[in-house]
Amino acid sequence: MTDATATTTAPVAAEALSENIDSTPNTTNNNNVPNSATKADTTANTTSTTHIEFEPPQACIRRLLKTALPPSTNVAKDASSAFSRASGIFVLYLTTCANDFAREGKRSTIIAKDVLNAVKELGFGEDFGDTLEKFLEVHR
């Protein structure tokens, strides 16, 4: 996790979710620089708002979908891209909420307990809380 992700606040993430989600693909501008790089460069220079984009690699998304869906299910390329975008937004939203818990604890580092609390606060605790806690026990 980068420092930029760890220092994002909830209002900024909500703003990023509502205003900065565009449906344009990462094409190049006149300088042959990908638009996503241009956005990141201009974002680094601003202090009032932070715009962070994150999308997991398509290979990871395809692997997850292949594992979760029945073998006979096909996923279109645009649906795979939508899953990637949605999962990236979810990760940023969860990170923002976990960061709030870390700040409440006067810490600059997000710990597993913060993530679990964020999952519960976002309403996913009933579905995923126990599973995540079991995973962490095995992982530790």
Side-chain angles (χ1 to χ4, degrees), residues 29 35-51:
N29 58 19
N35 286 342
S36 60
T38 304
K39 289 178 187 177
D41 292 341
T42 58
T43 303
N45 295 330
T46 62
T47 57
S48 62
T49 60
T50 303
H51 176 80

Side-chain angles (χ1 to χ4, degrees), residues 4-73:
T5 304
T7 59
T8 306
T9 60
V12 173
E15 181 179 309
L17 292 175
S18 64
E19 294 178 4
N20 295 325
I21 298 173
D22 59 2
S23 59
T24 57
N26 286 341
T27 57
T28 57
N29 58 19
N30 293 338
N31 299 327
N32 290 327
V33 176
N35 286 342
S36 60
T38 304
K39 289 178 187 177
D41 292 341
T42 58
T43 303
N45 295 330
T46 62
T47 57
S48 62
T49 60
T50 303
H51 176 80
I52 300 170
E53 288 191 21
F54 168 72
E55 288 185 30
Q58 285 293 326
C60 294
I61 296 298
R62 283 191 296 270
R63 192 176 324 119
L64 283 169
L65 292 173
K66 186 177 179 180
T67 303
L69 297 172
S72 61
T73 305

Side-chain angles (χ1 to χ4, degrees), residues 50-123:
T50 303
H51 176 80
I52 300 170
E53 288 191 21
F54 168 72
E55 288 185 30
Q58 285 293 326
C60 294
I61 296 298
R62 283 191 296 270
R63 192 176 324 119
L64 283 169
L65 292 173
K66 186 177 179 180
T67 303
L69 297 172
S72 61
T73 305
N74 293 323
V75 179
K77 192 173 188 179
D78 61 338
S80 180
S81 295
F83 276 114
S84 179
R85 184 69 171 191
S87 63
I89 291 169
F90 178 74
V91 166
L92 290 175
Y93 190 53
L94 183 64
T95 302
T96 299
C97 190
N99 186 48
D100 290 343
F101 280 103
R103 286 186 177 194
E104 285 175 11
K106 300 191 182 347
R107 289 177 277 106
S108 61
T109 302
I110 297 172
I111 60 175
K113 180 181 174 185
D114 299 328
V115 176
L116 289 171
N117 288 335
V119 166
K120 290 174 185 171
E121 181 163 310
L122 295 176

